[in-house]
Amino acid sequence: DLCTLLQERGGGERMYRTVLRGGFRRFASGSSPSERFWNWTTQSRDYEKYSTSWWREMMVICMVFAVTGSSSLTFVRPVLKTAGIKGDMWNGPWSYRLASLLIVTPIYSLILLTVGTLAGRHKQFAKQTLKIWGRVLPKKTRMKLVCEPAQKLQKK
């Protein structure tokens, strides 16, 4: 019984509430650090709208998007310069615009998923990555590229 287990381990009311919200996986003993990290980053995070926890969650999500956008351009611009393509999205040339879009999209989605996972929000950002690639790839191909938690999100 879960309540008995928590009492034996000295868990109080706070720990019990964490267990009820799906956080018990964090306290599982005998698992490797990578398993604990994966359980932490794939756990469900459903908060009451406009609560303190919800605002904290929105801050984390906004910070992940900010880091991802800045990082993707930081990585792509030197690649384009090395390839000899100079310009910008506003003034052109078209070769810069096309190459930028073709290079930025996969790098952005990779960085988004990586930073989102490191921030502990793998499910949220796997869903965003699926939305990005959902406009380009057929569903059958897209589902071969994603992990199990993201596949579950797509089926809903």
Short mmCIF file of all heavy atoms in Angstrom, two decimals, residues 1-11:
data_model
loop_
_atom_site.label_atom_id
_atom_site.label_comp_id
_atom_site.label_asym_id
_atom_site.label_seq_id
_atom_site.Cartn_x
_atom_site.Cartn_y
_atom_site.Cartn_z
N ASP A 1 0.84 -1.19 0.00
CA ASP A 1 0.00 0.00 0.00
C ASP A 1 0.88 1.24 0.00
O ASP A 1 1.86 1.33 0.74
CB ASP A 1 -0.91 -0.05 1.23
CG ASP A 1 -1.78 1.17 1.37
OD1 ASP A 1 -2.69 1.32 0.57
OD2 ASP A 1 -1.52 1.94 2.31
N LEU A 2 0.53 2.21 -0.81
CA LEU A 2 1.32 3.41 -0.98
C LEU A 2 1.41 4.24 0.30
O LEU A 2 2.47 4.73 0.66
CB LEU A 2 0.72 4.25 -2.11
CG LEU A 2 1.47 5.50 -2.51
CD1 LEU A 2 2.88 5.16 -2.94
CD2 LEU A 2 0.72 6.19 -3.64
N CYS A 3 0.31 4.38 1.00
CA CYS A 3 0.30 5.17 2.25
C CYS A 3 1.22 4.55 3.29
O CYS A 3 1.96 5.25 3.97
CB CYS A 3 -1.11 5.29 2.80
SG CYS A 3 -2.21 6.21 1.73
N THR A 4 1.18 3.23 3.40
CA THR A 4 2.04 2.54 4.36
C THR A 4 3.50 2.72 4.00
O THR A 4 4.34 2.99 4.86
CB THR A 4 1.70 1.03 4.38
OG1 THR A 4 0.30 0.88 4.56
CG2 THR A 4 2.45 0.33 5.48
N LEU A 5 3.81 2.62 2.72
CA LEU A 5 5.18 2.79 2.26
C LEU A 5 5.70 4.18 2.59
O LEU A 5 6.82 4.34 3.07
CB LEU A 5 5.26 2.54 0.75
CG LEU A 5 6.61 2.73 0.10
CD1 LEU A 5 7.58 1.66 0.60
CD2 LEU A 5 6.50 2.65 -1.40
N LEU A 6 4.88 5.20 2.38
CA LEU A 6 5.29 6.57 2.68
C LEU A 6 5.50 6.78 4.17
O LEU A 6 6.42 7.46 4.58
CB LEU A 6 4.25 7.56 2.15
CG LEU A 6 4.21 7.72 0.64
CD1 LEU A 6 3.07 8.63 0.25
CD2 LEU A 6 5.52 8.29 0.14
N GLN A 7 4.63 6.19 5.00
CA GLN A 7 4.79 6.33 6.44
C GLN A 7 6.06 5.64 6.92
O GLN A 7 6.75 6.15 7.79
CB GLN A 7 3.57 5.77 7.15
CG GLN A 7 2.35 6.65 6.98
CD GLN A 7 1.09 6.01 7.53
OE1 GLN A 7 1.10 4.86 7.94
NE2 GLN A 7 -0.01 6.77 7.53
N GLU A 8 6.38 4.48 6.35
CA GLU A 8 7.59 3.76 6.73
C GLU A 8 8.84 4.57 6.38
O GLU A 8 9.82 4.55 7.11
CB GLU A 8 7.65 2.41 6.03
CG GLU A 8 6.67 1.41 6.56
CD GLU A 8 6.64 0.13 5.72
OE1 GLU A 8 7.43 0.01 4.77
OE2 GLU A 8 5.80 -0.74 6.03
N ARG A 9 8.80 5.26 5.25
CA ARG A 9 9.96 6.05 4.82
C ARG A 9 9.98 7.43 5.45
O ARG A 9 10.83 8.25 5.12
CB ARG A 9 9.96 6.18 3.30
CG ARG A 9 10.23 4.88 2.61
CD ARG A 9 10.42 5.08 1.16
NE ARG A 9 10.72 3.81 0.52
CZ ARG A 9 11.14 3.69 -0.70
NH1 ARG A 9 11.34 4.75 -1.43
NH2 ARG A 9 11.39 2.51 -1.21
N GLY A 10 9.01 7.73 6.27
CA GLY A 10 8.99 9.02 6.95
C GLY A 10 8.41 10.13 6.11
O GLY A 10 8.67 11.30 6.36
N GLY A 11 7.64 9.80 5.10
CA GLY A 11 7.05 10.81 4.23
C GLY A 11 5.87 11.46 4.91
O GLY A 11 5.03 10.80 5.51
#
